[in-house]
Amino acid sequence: MKRLFALVIAGLLPLLGGCEMVVFQPQGPAARSITELINWSIWWMLLVVVVVFALFAYIVWKYRDRPERQGEEPPEEHGSTVLEIVWTVIPILIVIALTIPTVRTLYDLEKPPKGYENEKPLVIHVTSADWKWIFSYPEQNIETVNYVNIPANRLVLFKMTSASTMQSFWVPALAGQKYTMNKMETELYVVADRPGSYEGRNTNFNGRGYAHMQFEVLAQTPQEFEKWVQEVKQTAPKLTKEKYEQLLLPTHLGRLTFVDTHLQWVNHADPHSKTYTNPELYRGHGYQGKIFIREDNYKNSSTCNDEEQKALESDSGGEHHGH
Amino acid sequence: MGIKWNEIFVGGDPLLVGSQIAIVLTVVAIVVGLTYFKKWGWLWREWLTTVDHKKIGIMYILSGVLMFFRGGIDGLLMKAQTARPEMNFLDAQHYNEIFTTHGVIMILFMAMPFLIGLMNVVVPLQIGARDVAFPQLNALSFWLFFSGAMLFNISFVVGGSPDAGWTSYFPLAGKEFSPGIGNNYYAIALQIAGLGTLMTGINFIVTILKMRAPGMTLMKMPMFTWTTLITSIIIVAAFPIFTVALALMTFDRLYGTHFFTLSSGGSDMLWANLFWLWGHPEVYIVILPAFGIFSEVIATFSRKTLFGYTSMVVSIVGIAFLSMIVWVHHFYTMDAGPAVNSFFSITTMLIAVPTGVKIFNWLFTMRKGRIQFTTAMLWALAFVPNFVIGGVTGVMLAMAAADYQYHNTLFLVAHFHYVLIPGVVFAVFAGLYYWWPKMFGFMLNEKLGKYHFWLFVIGFNVTFMPMFFLGLKGAVRRAYTYSAESGFAPLFLVSAIGSIILAIGFAVFCYNIYWSFRYAKRNVSHDPWDARTLEWMTASPVQFYNFAVVPEVKQLDAFWHMKKRGETLTLKESDIKKIHMPSNSGLPFYMAVVFGITGFFLVFEAHIAAAVAAIGIVIGLVIRSFDYNDGYYVSVDEIKRTERTWRNVEGGTENHVG
């Protein structure tokens, strides 16, 4: 079995040779610290694999049944306290060796990377929707869809939320992933070492359009970035409320660029924000069930006048937060 | 009744229409066959109404084989779709449905019934009992499970499959994003099957605690019985959480509550927590009995007692405890903060400690032994290295910071297949080859068994090893396709080829069952493996009352030491007394039918029809409350006759190993 196993591995190697593993080619300090942690764990795990495989091969070979052992009676043996303590303590030591850097990395990833502690970050709001990524630059007053330009070597803080399903923001070359959730805000510090284009995508399954929910992170030199901002301001159309609601429909979109951000109407991270769902648009094949529309849906706010809105709220009877 | 009957069949896709035709033809063939061979009465008396733990176990195993087939087809379709980039074999919706049903079916309707089936067949025999503590409840467990499984399985042709993943994460699985009734099947069918599992848990706890043969203290129990006990305790601890979560999901989807919705203050994170509070223990519910099976098989074929029995017991208790406090590792990326993630990293990595203890104990059981390479033992041997790969990658995933790069990628998918296939599926095969003669009185063919073994193990590695690397290259799970530029294509193709080898291996197993059923020698001994535990002391196949006289246990591996002392086949006929046995009952089957009908109406949101059907459930409960049938006695004469038949032919039987 071992030989066949080795053959399988050997057969796979040429397939791996030509291709690159993004997790091992970090392009920013956040991703790099994770890669270092992974490399550290791989050495320990290889050690475990080698020891167990060797012991396994040795024991199975040495104590296999052979014709001349016919009738031989193996000894009664109930255990060995010393050995059992040994193989309890060694794994505990390995766990400790892995825990310390894990915890350290966990805390580090929540802070700006080393060397960028005192820098004021460029804040970009990330809003995931079905099935696209929306990036808002409040400072620059720009909004982009399915691509995000950042200056290289500068601290970027992504403030992430979702307008719909639970999704996961992942740019493996730059940083580990984090979920985006409606009425919730998650934060991610990212620095790109140098200009370049990096792939990002959603990793958390969210229906029909999931496979294509990708975006590009383009790291530019500060001058290029500034130039791009100015260009957008001069050429891009203005984002209107109607246009924004259209963006949120469950569709695939290419790259889009706007002046103004949707944050002026709604921040989906706000726990009291309206819910932007429309179940009718998710009707698929198969038998259809009953759907329920809630009073905090954005549709209601645009169709109801104020009195109806109040009536709805008193009907619901429950606690309703700030309007 | 509120159902648009003309709309319930899912049509359009040639694959689906083909399946619908195949299902109709199969049902017709079964009905015609049963009628032609006049087997309806036999089916009803011997199987549908049985309360015999061995027959119930066999029905569980048969369901497991069927569901393995269904889940396997789902897997093959996924592999076909991803074999090349930008394939159009399945569309996104179809692919989403298939990976959802693949996951649900493989965990809940394949792994669970296989293991519960083996527990049913083996545990009462191992502890020297005549049946489980509550035989009729046991039948109800099976029939509820079966009812739920069938309800879930018709979804893809009737009404539409669930399509939100086996984790069914909200808000996606809610009405806001999935207005079709597919996910109602998830909520209702799993609820019905889960009730059955919960009852099994209670039943086995009582059976093992109260019905052991005289002299068998807890620390003299065979390891499979120990793992079954601990598994049952986890079932009783964890399944109610799932029951509640599914009930809340049902309210959300059917009645418009908002526990998990986006709107009106629901929390999608609540679902993730409740799901994994059950879901992670569930992983250990399927892995612990498998550990028990390996312990029995490795001890028997090394011809040595299990090394470090006490530390094995402590390990499974430790694993069971830790399994309840690691659930957050399924969503480190939810941003609960570094302190929470650190805590759950540590608890998760700690599971490696008791698991490592078990691996070394198994290795040292084989050391100084005389290892016999039977098919059952080959599965146990292959388990060790393959499971170690699953284990070390599990530790890598446990490190929360590193998980930010593995989460939801194929690295994770490869990891859990490396844990669940060697850990559970290899164990089930080991258990089936090992206990088959005990169940049926003939062996599975060893030569075909070895073809099955090699094809399956090689196919498994070729399928899932590339997925580790795909994950590190950035390929995510559940994506129905990928671009040609991604560079994923060669590894996906290798993986698809592996899945075909895997499938051929399973086909050989099915053929082996058929071949052995037709041609295998029937004069197999009651103890063909020269084994160690009590189930091998009685006839193969086991007579319905299990033991003519309940054996007395003096130490661990009781049967082995009885053989040493030469006291196995001596049965003093004067010791035989009449035996009390439970009567058959049609009630569990009836309950499955009414639960199935009620569930079906609920799935289609026909609330009044469901309420009417649910009256049938109450009627069943009432009938059961007035059931005064206390069972019957087997006469001493009948026992003597039965015992003489198998004990007399003993001289002319074949032992397989010596």
Side-chain angles (χ1 to χ4, degrees), chain A residues 1-2 4-5 8-9 12 15-16 19-24 31 34 37-38 41-42 45 48-49 52-53 55-56 59-60 63-65 69-80 83-84 87-88 91-92 95 98-99 102-103 105-107 109-110 130 163-166 170 172 175-179 181-187 201-208 210-212 275 277-279 282-283 285-292 294 296, chain B residues 2-4 7-8 10 92-93 96-97 99 159 163-164 171-172 175-177 179-181 252-258 262-264 268-269 302-305 307-308 311 331 333-335 338-339 341-342 346 349 353 357 360-361 363-364 366-373 381 384-385 388-389 392 395-396 399-402 404-409 454 458 461 465 469 472-474 476-481 490-491 494 560-561 564 604-605 658:
Chain A
M1 207 211 83
K2 303 240 69 64
L4 271 155
F5 193 76
V8 169
I9 300 282
L12 284 174
L15 290 163
L16 297 171
C19 48
E20 299 163 338
M21 284 185 251
V22 63
V23 169
F24 293 109
I34 298 178
L37 182 66
I38 290 174
S41 71
I42 284 179
M45 295 300 107
V48 172
V49 167
V52 177
F53 278 38
L55 198 59
F56 171 79
I59 287 174
V60 171
Y63 298 102
R64 72 191 189 282
D65 196 10
R69 295 187 70 195
Q70 205 54 249
E72 190 186 312
E73 185 76 5
E76 276 287 313
E77 182 189 36
H78 289 278
S80 152
L83 280 174
E84 284 163 51
W87 59 57
T88 309
I92 289 178
V95 167
L98 295 174
T99 297
T102 300
V103 172
T105 314
L106 274 173
Y107 278 89
L109 287 174
E110 298 302 313
D130 284 357
S164 63
T165 46
M166 186 189 285
W170 190 36
Q177 62 193 296
K178 231 173 225 187
Y179 284 170
M181 292 172 287
N182 189 239
K183 302 186 174 72
M184 216 47 81
E185 187 169 87
T186 49
E187 294 188 343
R201 64 159 301 134
N202 171 23
T203 76
N204 206 48
F205 172 66
N206 67 335
R208 278 201 309 283
Y210 162 69
H212 298 296
T275 307
T277 55
N278 185 354
Y282 291 87
R283 295 278 191 206
H285 83 304
Y287 196 89
Q288 296 303 306
K290 187 180 177 213
I291 54 173
F292 310 92
R294 307 254 161 239
D296 63 350
Chain B
I3 297 184
K4 295 173 225 123
E7 289 178 17
I8 70 167
V10 183
Q93 176 62 26
N96 298 348
E97 294 178 3
F99 73 68
D163 56 2
L172 176 66
K175 277 285 174 69
E176 293 164 308
F177 298 99
I181 55 112
D252 263 15
R253 288 191 54 87
L254 265 58
Y255 307 110
T257 56
H258 33 77
L262 285 192
S263 48
S264 306
D268 44 6
M269 296 186 291
S302 302
R303 312 186 60 73
K304 271 180 76 210
T305 192
F307 192 91
S311 64
F331 43 85
T333 49
M334 203 180 261
D335 202 17
N341 282 357
S342 298
I346 294 167
M349 281 192 274
V353 176
V357 168
F360 283 108
N361 278 333
L363 287 177
F364 274 69
M366 293 192 278
R367 195 184 70 131
K368 296 187 189 165
R370 184 152 65 85
I371 303 169
Q372 291 160 324
F373 297 99
L381 290 176
V384 174
V388 166
I389 295 174
V392 295
V395 172
M396 290 165 71
M399 300 158 64
Y404 296 162
Q405 292 284 36
Y406 307 133
H407 184 65
N408 275 342
T409 67
W454 286 109
I458 293 169
N461 276 292
M465 186 58 80
F469 299 100
L472 295 172
K473 285 160 68 60
V476 294
R477 70 193 298 202
R478 294 173 169 176
Y480 82 105
T481 194
L491 287 173
V494 172
W560 179 260
H561 293 285
K564 284 275 156 69
F604 282 88
E605 302 180 5

Side-chain angles (χ1 to χ4, degrees), chain A residues 191-203:
Chain A
V191 173
D193 288 337
R194 54 191 149 262
S197 164
Y198 309 105
E199 249 179 86
R201 64 159 301 134
N202 171 23
T203 76

Side-chain angles (χ1 to χ4, degrees), chain B residues 27 45 88 114 123 280 349 364 381 411 415-416 443 445 612:
Chain B
V27 171
R45 281 189 309 275
N88 287 315
F114 263 136
V123 168
H280 198 86
M349 281 192 274
F364 274 69
L381 290 176
F411 186 88
H415 153 72
F416 69 70
M443 312 241 275
N445 184 296
V612 173

Side-chain angles (χ1 to χ4, degrees), chain B residues 139-172:
Chain B
L140 182 62
S141 286
F142 170 74
W143 285 110
L144 286 181
F145 149 77
F146 190 74
S147 180
M150 289 303 111
L151 187 61
F152 189 85
N153 267 276
I154 60 168
S155 64
F156 79 111
V157 285
V158 183
S161 263
D163 56 2
W166 91 280
T167 49
S168 205
Y169 266 20
F170 276 80
L172 176 66

Side-chain angles (χ1 to χ4, degrees), chain B residues 339-631:
Chain B
V340 171
N341 282 357
S342 298
F343 174 82
F344 284 94
S345 292
I346 294 167
T347 54
T348 306
M349 281 192 274
L350 277 179
I351 290 190
V353 176
T355 315
V357 168
K358 294 184 79 72
I359 294 277
F360 283 108
N361 278 333
W362 284 316
L363 287 177
F364 274 69
T365 304
M366 293 192 278
R367 195 184 70 131
K368 296 187 189 165
R370 184 152 65 85
I371 303 169
Q372 291 160 324
F373 297 99
T374 57
T375 307
M377 185 62 170
L378 284 180
W379 287 111
L381 290 176
F383 155 77
V384 174
N386 285 299
F387 189 78
V388 166
I389 295 174
V392 295
T393 49
V395 172
M396 290 165 71
L397 279 153
M399 300 158 64
D403 180 67
Y404 296 162
Q405 292 284 36
Y406 307 133
H407 184 65
N408 275 342
T409 67
L410 292 181
F411 186 88
L412 164 76
V413 176
H415 153 72
F416 69 70
H417 282 89
Y418 260 90
V419 178
L420 286 172
I421 293 180
V424 180
V425 180
F426 287 12
V428 165
F429 287 139
L432 287 177
Y433 280 93
Y434 181 61
W435 281 305
W436 198 269
K438 193 49 54 184
M439 289 188 266
F440 297 101
F442 62 88
M443 312 241 275
L444 285 174
N445 184 296
E446 282 283 304
K447 197 168 170 206
L448 284 171
K450 279 166 189 160
Y451 282 117
H452 166 211
F453 170 79
W454 286 109
L455 285 166
F456 200 92
V457 172
I458 293 169
F460 157 71
N461 276 292
V462 177
T463 307
F464 294 103
M465 186 58 80
M467 289 167 82
F468 283 118
F469 299 100
L470 278 170
L472 295 172
K473 285 160 68 60
V476 294
R477 70 193 298 202
R478 294 173 169 176
Y480 82 105
T481 194
Y482 51 93
S483 68
E485 303 85 67
S486 62
F488 301 156
L491 287 173
F492 265 119
L493 186 62
V494 172
S495 178
I497 293 168
S499 70
I500 295 170
I501 305 174
L502 191 68
I504 297 172
F506 182 70
V508 173
F509 171 65
C510 294
Y511 177 71
N512 195 353
I513 294 179
Y514 166 78
W515 188 94
S516 305
F517 190 74
R518 286 289 297 272
Y519 307 113
K521 287 194 189 128
R522 292 307 199 263
N523 62 345
V524 60
S525 140
H526 68 108
D527 180 25
W529 310 117
D530 197 6
R532 316 181 71 82
T533 40
L534 288 180
E535 72 270 29
W536 301 102
M537 192 179 167
T538 191
S540 296
V542 182
Q543 59 279 44
F544 65 96
Y545 51 78
N546 291 1
F547 297 95
V549 174
V550 172
E552 207 174 306
V553 173
K554 297 202 179 72
Q555 68 266 79
L556 188 65
D557 293 337
F559 180 53
W560 179 260
H561 293 285
M562 285 180 195
K563 285 191 281 190
K564 284 275 156 69
R565 294 194 296 267
E567 55 189 49
T568 47
L569 285 173
T570 47
L571 173 69
K572 267 192 263 156
E573 297 209 333
S574 57
D575 287 348
I576 298 176
K577 297 192 179 64
K578 61 180 182 175
I579 295 172
H580 181 231
M581 294 299 289
S583 308
N584 282 6
S585 166
L587 204 53
F589 181 74
Y590 162 81
M591 290 299 265
V593 173
V594 287
F595 260 98
I597 293 171
T598 310
F600 182 84
F601 285 131
L602 275 181
V603 166
F604 282 88
E605 302 180 5
H607 304 295
I608 295 169
V612 173
I615 295 172
I617 298 173
V618 179
I619 291 172
L621 294 174
V622 171
I623 294 174
R624 177 65 182 143
S625 315
F626 290 98
D627 181 2
Y628 296 110
N629 186 336
D630 281 339

Side-chain angles (χ1 to χ4, degrees), chain A residues 57-299:
Chain A
Y58 170 76
I59 287 174
V60 171
W61 182 253
K62 172 137 194 233
Y63 298 102
R64 72 191 189 282
D65 196 10
R66 295 176 301 261
E68 65 269 25
R69 295 187 70 195
Q70 205 54 249
E72 190 186 312
E73 185 76 5
E76 276 287 313
E77 182 189 36
H78 289 278
S80 152
T81 315
V82 177
L83 280 174
E84 284 163 51
I85 289 174
V86 167
W87 59 57
T88 309
V89 170
I90 292 177
I92 289 178
L93 293 178
I94 296 178
V95 167
I96 292 172
L98 295 174
T99 297
I100 294 167
T102 300
V103 172
R104 197 185 299 139
T105 314
L106 274 173
Y107 278 89
D108 285 350
L109 287 174
E110 298 302 313
K111 299 183 299 231
K114 246 198 203 90
Y116 296 89
E117 293 95 338
N118 302 320
E119 197 173 299
K120 186 172 155 294
L122 168 67
V123 176
I124 300 175
H125 287 255
V126 178
T127 306
S128 63
D130 284 357
W131 292 282
K132 79 267 307 170
W133 292 94
I134 301 166
F135 300 92
S136 320
Y137 299 72
E139 246 174 89
Q140 285 74 12
N141 201 31
I142 289 178
E143 187 143 312
T144 61
V145 177
N146 287 335
Y147 78 100
V148 57
N149 289 5
I150 57 170
N153 262 315
R154 159 127 194 243
L155 182 64
V156 178
L157 174 60
F158 287 113
K159 289 179 176 257
M160 310 191 291
T161 188
S162 171
S164 63
T165 46
M166 186 189 285
Q167 294 159 31
S168 189
F169 178 91
W170 190 36
V171 189
L174 299 181
Q177 62 193 296
K178 231 173 225 187
Y179 284 170
T180 62
M181 292 172 287
N182 189 239
K183 302 186 174 72
M184 216 47 81
E185 187 169 87
T186 49
E187 294 188 343
L188 192 66
Y189 282 109
V190 168
V191 173
D193 288 337
R194 54 191 149 262
S197 164
Y198 309 105
E199 249 179 86
R201 64 159 301 134
N202 171 23
T203 76
N204 206 48
F205 172 66
N206 67 335
R208 278 201 309 283
Y210 162 69
H212 298 296
M213 236 188 107
Q214 288 151 320
F215 59 93
E216 184 197 0
V217 180
L218 184 67
Q220 301 170 302
T221 60
Q223 298 79 7
E224 277 174 345
F225 179 75
E226 240 354 275
K227 204 175 131 217
W228 172 75
V229 170
Q230 293 313 322
E231 243 174 56
V232 169
K233 289 197 155 168
Q234 282 155 22
T235 57
K238 223 171 140 60
L239 183 66
T240 60
K241 205 171 172 184
E242 290 67 40
K243 181 70 197 165
Y244 180 66
E245 282 172 11
Q246 232 180 342
L247 287 184
L248 292 186
L249 303 180
T251 49
H252 280 297
L253 297 173
R255 293 167 173 237
L256 297 170
T257 314
F258 299 99
V259 175
D260 277 352
T261 73
H262 73 271
L263 298 172
Q264 53 187 313
W265 308 297
V266 59
N267 180 355
H268 300 283
D270 172 8
H272 309 308
S273 60
K274 294 274 179 194
T275 307
Y276 282 68
T277 55
N278 185 354
E280 289 299 341
L281 301 174
Y282 291 87
R283 295 278 191 206
H285 83 304
Y287 196 89
Q288 296 303 306
K290 187 180 177 213
I291 54 173
F292 310 92
I293 292 282
R294 307 254 161 239
E295 61 270 24
D296 63 350
N297 194 280
Y298 79 112
K299 289 258 169 202

